[in-house]
Amino acid sequence: MAVLITGGAGYIGSHAMVEFLNADKDIVCVDNLCNSKAMALDRVRQITGKDFKFYQVDLLDIDKLENVFKENKIDSCIHFAGLKAVGESCEKPLLYYHNNITGTLNLCKLLSKYGAKKIVFSSSATVYGKPASVPITEDFPLSTTNPYGETKLMIERILKDLWVSDNEWSVSILRYFNPIGAHKSGLIGEDPRDIPNNLLPYITQVASGRREFLSVHGNDYNTHDGTGVRDYIHVVDLAKAHLCAIERANKQTGVEYFNIGTGVGYSVLDIVKAYEEATGAKVNYKIGPRRPGDIDECYANPEKAYKILGWKAENGIEDMCKDAFNWQKKNPNGYEE
């Protein structure tokens, strides 16, 4: 039986595939490559020395997606696929609602039809909206400040309703904080198309000379230096959380929610300084206006994931910066076709 991994060619998906293959799991990867590249999958094979089936399929095309189920014995799913840029979601809300929600509905219909009622969903800390306090625990009130976050929250509710209607389902919802870093090999990492939406790939591109400076979006937040504070987690640690979650899903049914973070908050300027200290590279930056939908600070209480899943982050901020630097240095233009 195989684990279906949607969005497996993406940043987090490719790192998760490495962990699953290293754990001798049989996997099937689906990705439409709209924001990723097939070369990432070749690098996964290179790192692990193992092969897997890949289908270039969009979740919105339910007929082609069903062929994946017909051709493979799938018993569970890790669901990464989806559009994820906060700013773009504010500009194109209908695109985000249609892509992320309809794609998930199609996926769940087929998981149910083929008896593969175990899913780990990549949610986000954005479902906590603007939290009244930090650190954030899983029982905090839920709200959102942008359409991207709204799609995550809607999908969480859909998956809960799915279990209520059919108690055979096992649903693990992982609320990511801010994944950064890259695989230690430097073979896979974050390679955004066009201008990066996330902080660290922008920093690495500035440090490598690919971009002139980092735009810091606002310095008037209610934080220690005025820039936004987030919980940054190494992408390999994040990937390993999915392995823990699917192992638990194989043993029981129900719906569970887990914060996946380190429990430590760093500001934008903290990350700039940490990157410079870890790599010796210089990062030029300029202060700009706030981005729509951003909040002051957001970091996790990750104790539940440790208690129930036996998972905790192992890499510190220095590791995250060094590994991101190593990826950028070895791949100055990302995955070059």
Side-chain angles (χ1 to χ4, degrees), residues 11-12 84 86 123-126 136 148 175-181 190 197-201 228-238 259-268 271 291 294-295 297-300 315 317 320:
Y11 173 44
I12 301 171
K84 62 176 186 175
V86 169
S123 190
S124 167
T126 58
I136 297 167
Y148 161 72
R175 292 171 177 160
Y176 305 167
F177 281 68
N178 291 67
I180 60 176
E190 189 166 9
N197 289 299
N198 297 327
L199 177 61
L200 205 62
V229 167
R230 299 291 184 269
D231 186 335
Y232 295 92
I233 177 172
H234 198 296
V235 66
V236 173
D237 284 333
L238 177 60
N259 287 337
I260 307 298
T262 65
V264 180
Y266 292 96
S267 74
V268 174
I271 297 295
R291 287 187 305 190
D294 275 350
I295 60 176
E297 57 181 349
C298 179
Y299 58 93
N315 292 278
I317 196 66
M320 302 180 210

Side-chain angles (χ1 to χ4, degrees), residues 66-91:
E66 184 162 17
N67 288 335
V68 177
F69 284 82
K70 290 178 178 177
E71 295 176 10
N72 300 277
K73 294 182 178 180
I74 291 166
D75 71 343
S76 56
C77 177
I78 312 293
H79 182 28
F80 294 110
L83 299 174
K84 62 176 186 175
V86 169
E88 183 183 51
S89 78
C90 294
E91 297 168 2

Side-chain angles (χ1 to χ4, degrees), residues 226-295:
T227 63
V229 167
R230 299 291 184 269
D231 186 335
Y232 295 92
I233 177 172
H234 198 296
V235 66
V236 173
D237 284 333
L238 177 60
K240 290 177 178 178
H242 296 80
L243 199 54
C244 296
I246 204 69
E247 293 292 352
R248 182 169 174 81
N250 286 331
K251 298 174 183 176
Q252 65 182 63
T253 61
V255 182
E256 294 183 301
Y257 306 85
F258 299 99
N259 287 337
I260 307 298
T262 65
V264 180
Y266 292 96
S267 74
V268 174
L269 296 184
D270 287 338
I271 297 295
V272 169
K273 182 180 179 182
Y275 188 87
E276 290 180 334
E277 291 178 349
T279 66
K282 177 65 177 173
V283 180
N284 297 315
Y285 67 87
K286 293 182 180 179
I287 304 297
R290 291 189 181 199
R291 287 187 305 190
D294 275 350
I295 60 176

Side-chain angles (χ1 to χ4, degrees), residues 50-122:
K50 297 177 181 179
D51 201 6
F52 51 87
K53 286 186 178 181
F54 167 61
Y55 295 82
Q56 186 174 346
V57 170
D58 194 309
L59 299 189
L60 296 176
D61 190 336
I62 194 168
D63 293 331
K64 287 186 178 179
L65 184 60
E66 184 162 17
N67 288 335
V68 177
F69 284 82
K70 290 178 178 177
E71 295 176 10
N72 300 277
K73 294 182 178 180
I74 291 166
D75 71 343
S76 56
C77 177
I78 312 293
H79 182 28
F80 294 110
L83 299 174
K84 62 176 186 175
V86 169
E88 183 183 51
S89 78
C90 294
E91 297 168 2
K92 303 175 181 179
L94 294 182
L95 172 65
Y96 272 66
Y97 287 124
H98 178 57
N99 183 85
N100 293 3
I101 295 173
T102 306
T104 301
L105 292 174
N106 287 345
L107 175 65
C108 288
K109 288 175 185 176
L110 293 173
L111 290 171
S112 183
K113 180 177 180 178
Y114 287 86
K117 299 178 182 179
K118 296 187 284 286
I119 186 169
V120 178
F121 173 57
S122 60

Side-chain angles (χ1 to χ4, degrees), residues 107-237:
L107 175 65
C108 288
K109 288 175 185 176
L110 293 173
L111 290 171
S112 183
K113 180 177 180 178
Y114 287 86
K117 299 178 182 179
K118 296 187 284 286
I119 186 169
V120 178
F121 173 57
S122 60
S123 190
S124 167
T126 58
V127 301
Y128 295 115
K130 187 174 183 179
S133 62
V134 286
I136 297 167
T137 57
E138 288 84 354
D139 58 358
F140 267 39
L142 304 180
S143 64
T144 58
T145 60
N146 55 74
Y148 161 72
E150 194 68 38
T151 67
K152 292 296 187 183
L153 186 52
M154 286 182 179
I155 292 169
E156 285 195 11
R157 289 168 173 160
I158 289 166
L159 293 174
K160 181 181 179 181
D161 290 342
L162 188 57
W163 174 77
V164 169
S165 71
D166 180 356
N167 292 162
E168 291 182 357
W169 277 88
S170 178
V171 179
S172 290
I173 293 171
L174 305 188
R175 292 171 177 160
Y176 305 167
F177 281 68
N178 291 67
I180 60 176
H183 193 267
K184 300 288 183 185
S185 65
L187 289 172
I188 57 174
E190 189 166 9
D191 181 27
R193 293 184 185 271
D194 303 319
I195 299 173
N197 289 299
N198 297 327
L199 177 61
L200 205 62
Y202 212 118
I203 287 177
T204 62
Q205 291 184 13
V206 172
S208 67
R210 188 170 166 185
R211 299 190 184 277
E212 185 179 355
F213 61 87
L214 168 71
S215 293
V216 177
H217 300 294
N219 66 345
D220 58 349
Y221 288 99
N222 185 26
T223 62
H224 65 274
D225 62 13
T227 63
V229 167
R230 299 291 184 269
D231 186 335
Y232 295 92
I233 177 172
H234 198 296
V235 66
V236 173
D237 284 333

